[in-house]
Amino acid sequence: MRIDVVTIFPGYLAPLRESLLGRAADAGLIEVALHDLRSWTHDVHQTVDDAPYGGGPGMVMRPQVWGEALDAVIASDSRPPRLVVPAPAGRSFTQATARAYATEQRLVFACGRYEGIDQRVVDHYSRQFPVDEVSIGDYVLVGGEAAVLVIVEAVARLLPGVLGNPRSAAEDSFSDGLLEGPAYTRPEVWRGQAVPEVLRSGNHGAIARWRRDRALERTAKRRPDLLAALPEDRLDAADQAF
Ligand SMILES: Nc1nc2cc(Br)ccc2s1
């Protein structure tokens, strides 16, 4: 997978080259290219924003700069892109979105700042490529860069070969529509708290049931919306207690 990120703060995306993603890049599983939006300005001040039509606070990012940048970046690789624009008003980015993005050949991220990017940029490219405006949560950041770090990590970990143990991705939170239950490791007793006995029983059936019950219990308590959204056939008779 090829990932391009256009931003006025390329340094903010440096962590994409660290650890898990660094190893994935070294292994050729992911190719990350960072592009400074200001490279496509033509004035001495490298202006990327302007006052909003209709008045109001803040500044809006100029369509001309974004158009020149995205034309150049998209043309720099033959793989067809999905353009992803993090935005507070975007559709929610979920594990299902991450799974869908993990099947893409190429993701091009446009990192907005200020009050966002002139809407005509998204409208223009939506006529040529799939374009998603996505939000990573119901809060407002200062820019899209932090959202790109989150999205890229959630997607990259699903790519074959990126995680040491592929079962991790298959069994983590949200993979079966539920939150993950509690996890334990040695020592058996820590500060007077013992590891639940069933986990030391060696009875794999009982362990699987216990883990399912803890996941259902936690999901019912913390995210009842996820439980309500589960398709009927995803809950078996033993699950009905939740
Ligand atoms: N939750 C989010 N907040 C923001 C703010 C800006 Br400015 C750009 C993108 C995003 S995504």
Side-chain angles (χ1 to χ4, degrees):
M1 176 184 286
R2 162 116 179 180
I3 293 175
D4 292 276
V5 186
V6 185
T7 167
I8 59 172
F9 292 111
Y12 199 111
L13 281 300
L16 287 183
R17 303 197 189 287
E18 300 302 315
S19 70
L20 170 108
L21 298 180
R23 282 201 306 275
D26 294 345
L29 296 167
I30 306 172
E31 191 183 318
V32 177
L34 305 178
H35 310 274
D36 186 341
L37 178 68
R38 295 191 194 277
S39 306
W40 286 275
T41 59
H42 305 293
D43 62 304
V44 66
H45 298 296
Q46 297 192 306
T47 309
V48 296
D49 62 329
D50 201 343
Y53 273 114
M59 301 289 270
V60 177
M61 299 189 95
R62 299 171 59 228
Q64 304 97 319
V65 186
W66 274 106
E68 288 187 33
L70 290 174
D71 286 351
V73 168
I74 289 170
S76 70
D77 187 276
S78 59
R79 283 167 282 192
R82 174 177 290 273
L83 181 59
V84 181
V85 185
R91 292 176 187 276
S92 291
F93 176 80
T94 66
Q95 190 67 16
T97 322
R99 282 196 293 269
Y101 286 4
T103 66
E104 295 284 347
Q105 296 180 59
R106 187 183 184 197
L107 297 174
V108 175
F109 289 92
C111 295
R113 287 252 148 187
Y114 315 112
E115 297 306 308
I117 302 171
D118 185 298
Q119 186 60 42
R120 288 169 293 180
V121 175
V122 162
D123 296 348
H124 169 75
Y125 289 98
S126 296
R127 297 186 192 100
Q128 305 166 64
F129 309 107
V131 179
D132 292 343
E133 294 179 85
V134 293
S135 172
I136 59 167
D138 294 340
Y139 41 78
V140 183
L141 302 169
V142 177
E145 287 80 5
V148 170
L149 289 175
V150 167
I151 293 168
V152 169
E153 180 161 322
V155 172
R157 66 185 290 276
L158 298 177
L159 298 178
V162 172
L163 284 182
N165 177 354
R167 278 187 58 194
S168 303
E171 299 178 9
D172 61 10
S173 273
F174 303 100
S175 57
D176 59 0
L178 299 175
L179 299 182
E180 222 166 359
Y184 301 86
T185 185
R186 288 178 294 186
E188 212 172 288
V189 180
W190 177 73
R191 294 189 179 178
Q193 302 172 93
V195 171
E197 197 171 332
V198 66
L199 297 180
R200 294 181 286 113
S201 67
N203 178 337
H204 297 296
I207 290 169
R209 183 68 257 167
W210 183 88
R211 283 177 166 162
R212 174 83 175 174
D213 288 349
R214 297 296 72 71
L216 287 160
E217 191 177 65
R218 179 174 277 186
T219 308
K221 196 176 292 182
R222 297 178 181 176
R223 291 291 305 274
D225 58 303
L226 292 178
L227 210 52
L230 269 184
E232 272 298 309
D233 62 355
R234 297 285 288 274
L235 290 172
D236 60 36
D239 295 335
Q240 296 312 317
F242 298 91

